[in-house]
Amino acid sequence: MSNYYLTFSDFLKKKFGQKVYKVTLDAGFSCPNRDGTLSSDGCIFCDDSGSFSRLYSPTLPIEEQLQVGMVKIKNRYHAEKFLAYFQAYTNTYKPVNELKQLYDKVFIDNVVGMSIGTRPDCVDEEKLDLISSYNVDNRFIQVEYGIQSVHDKTLKFINRGHDFACFEKACKKSKERGLTVCAHVILGLPNETYDDMMQTAKTLAKMSIDGIKIHMLAVMEGTKIQKMFDEGKINLMSEEDYISTVCDFLEYLPPDMIIQRLAGNGKREIRIQPRWLGKKLELVGKMEKEFERRGTKQGSKFSK
Ligand code: SF4
């Protein structure tokens, strides 16, 4: 539990009366920004795992991946409740009948919810209707949209292939259906100023978004960002800078927005920089200390 921000773990514990553990899944999706539909290059920071961080058994069918993941977590933490998390690539990028067959498979045993990572330009009314059909029996049903920044100039530069208006539309349609919406942002993107990042916080704070995942720009092997980094074209934030910027960012968010991540690790084997990024717990501890020093917390500067 944190005294400074609403953690995802605390939110789920309150909703379900006990800790809920995420099982990450790879359902074999692709991404229109990688398969040539929009581009074949992908976002400039994306490595070829499609932003996927951990997997229990990648080659198995989805129901077996889930079972294997649950058993491992159960043995390690005595876990009893689980969230199926479709993380890799764009998890709505298939026809709706195929999505139904896939999503239907995860509601087994003690799975109390599902979270689907996708792009805002890869959902439509039909797909959102399908996802909201699982929103019964006090389940937690969430759609996670990669947006990274609210600034169109940045979205263009990082080659997202969609604009902010597209994200706004997807959020609105998701919220109309009672879905939980989580936005992914990256701090330290090329050409973004401190004010740009704070503007992202303030803009997201005004939308009825439920959750947020914050990442630090990392240089991963084989990405466009790596090339830019090698050519000396980008500067990465220092750890101190990142900690301070994240605290500033959280101060602008509503106190009830669920903070689902404060830093991503990226795959250690292909992460080139920054080296300090791997120690997530330590980093989060330093952010809490910074809040303590300031006497502030999430929402301190939030106004409706
Ligand atoms: S949308 Fe996601 S999977 Fe697709 S290129 Fe961008 S980061 Fe990678």
Side-chain angles (χ1 to χ4, degrees), residues 46-49 52 218-223 226 265-273:
C46 180
D47 63 81
D48 60 15
S49 68
F52 195 64
V219 178
M220 310 298 280
E221 207 173 281
T223 60
Q226 185 198 354
N265 282 343
K267 274 197 201 152
R268 195 180 315 151
E269 314 82 58
I270 57 164
R271 190 182 63 238
I272 295 169
Q273 285 286 349

Side-chain angles (χ1 to χ4, degrees), residues 30-34 39 41-51 87-90 118-119 121 146 148 158-160 162 186:
S30 177
C31 170
N33 208 19
R34 278 199 161 270
S39 88
D41 297 337
C43 304
I44 61 173
F45 52 82
C46 180
D47 63 81
D48 60 15
S49 68
S51 301
Q87 183 185 27
Y89 293 99
T90 302
T118 189
R119 296 169 52 90
D121 57 353
Q148 321 309 351
I158 65 176
N159 195 39
R160 281 296 298 177
H162 64 76
I186 297 179

Side-chain angles (χ1 to χ4, degrees), residues 63-111:
E63 53 273 54
E64 286 178 50
Q65 285 184 35
L66 191 56
Q67 288 288 4
V68 171
M70 289 197 301
V71 168
K72 285 192 178 166
I73 300 172
K74 231 180 235 174
N75 291 342
R76 193 161 171 198
Y77 303 106
H78 306 291
E80 287 174 0
K81 290 200 189 305
F82 302 91
L83 188 68
Y85 177 29
F86 289 95
Q87 183 185 27
Y89 293 99
T90 302
N91 294 278
T92 55
Y93 190 43
K94 276 184 185 172
V96 75
N97 59 321
E98 287 181 41
L99 294 178
K100 180 168 173 13
Q101 281 174 21
L102 183 68
Y103 300 156
D104 276 352
K105 289 178 182 159
V106 303
F107 291 100
I108 50 165
D109 296 332
N110 294 326
V111 175

Side-chain angles (χ1 to χ4, degrees), residues 23-278:
V23 181
T24 48
L25 304 169
D26 183 346
F29 282 93
S30 177
C31 170
N33 208 19
R34 278 199 161 270
D35 70 3
T37 305
L38 290 170
S39 88
S40 42
D41 297 337
C43 304
I44 61 173
F45 52 82
C46 180
D47 63 81
D48 60 15
S49 68
S51 301
F52 195 64
S53 59
R54 187 166 55 156
L55 188 59
Y56 294 100
S57 219
T59 51
L60 296 175
I62 216 72
E63 53 273 54
E64 286 178 50
Q65 285 184 35
L66 191 56
Q67 288 288 4
V68 171
M70 289 197 301
V71 168
K72 285 192 178 166
I73 300 172
K74 231 180 235 174
N75 291 342
R76 193 161 171 198
Y77 303 106
H78 306 291
E80 287 174 0
K81 290 200 189 305
F82 302 91
L83 188 68
Y85 177 29
F86 289 95
Q87 183 185 27
Y89 293 99
T90 302
N91 294 278
T92 55
Y93 190 43
K94 276 184 185 172
V96 75
N97 59 321
E98 287 181 41
L99 294 178
K100 180 168 173 13
Q101 281 174 21
L102 183 68
Y103 300 156
D104 276 352
K105 289 178 182 159
V106 303
F107 291 100
I108 50 165
D109 296 332
N110 294 326
V111 175
V112 295
M114 170 171 76
S115 195
I116 299 170
T118 189
R119 296 169 52 90
D121 57 353
C122 285
V123 291
D124 57 24
E125 310 266 350
E126 225 188 331
K127 288 177 185 177
L128 290 172
D129 282 344
L130 170 70
I131 297 169
S132 63
S133 72
Y134 298 99
N135 202 3
V136 291
D137 302 334
N138 193 39
R139 284 174 182 160
F140 177 82
I141 305 294
Q142 173 169 267
V143 191
E144 301 186 26
Y145 292 117
I147 177 65
Q148 321 309 351
S149 162
V150 301
H151 304 285
D152 281 343
K153 66 172 171 77
T154 306
L155 299 183
K156 196 161 183 214
F157 186 82
I158 65 176
N159 195 39
R160 281 296 298 177
H162 64 76
D163 58 11
F164 179 64
C166 171
F167 170 72
E168 280 183 302
K169 198 169 141 201
C171 289
K172 188 167 173 279
K173 287 184 183 304
S174 307
K175 293 301 298 175
E176 279 167 4
R177 289 163 172 81
L179 292 167
T180 301
V181 171
C182 175
H184 292 206
V185 300
I186 297 179
L187 300 183
L189 285 167
N191 306 329
E192 284 227 328
T193 62
Y194 171 82
D195 287 345
D196 288 335
M197 293 185 265
M198 293 308 116
Q199 193 54 51
T200 291
K202 290 175 198 169
T203 305
L204 295 177
K206 280 194 214 131
M207 299 171 69
S208 39
I209 289 169
D210 306 279
I212 192 160
K213 285 187 176 175
I214 304 172
H215 298 83
M216 149 87 196
L217 180 69
V219 178
M220 310 298 280
E221 207 173 281
T223 60
K224 282 251 170 66
I225 281 285
Q226 185 198 354
K227 195 164 176 281
M228 292 167 72
F229 182 74
D230 291 346
E231 289 167 357
K233 289 182 181 159
I234 55 162
N235 292 315
L236 296 177
M237 291 169 97
S238 67
E239 186 182 20
E240 294 69 31
D241 224 11
Y242 185 66
I243 291 167
S244 166
T245 308
V246 168
C247 291
D248 294 344
F249 197 96
L250 292 192
E251 286 174 6
Y252 285 116
L253 300 180
D256 59 351
M257 190 183 277
I258 314 159
I259 310 302
Q260 304 195 16
R261 188 171 296 159
L262 286 174
N265 282 343
K267 274 197 201 152
R268 195 180 315 151
E269 314 82 58
I270 57 164
R271 190 182 63 238
I272 295 169
Q273 285 286 349
R275 298 207 189 283
W276 53 263
L277 202 52

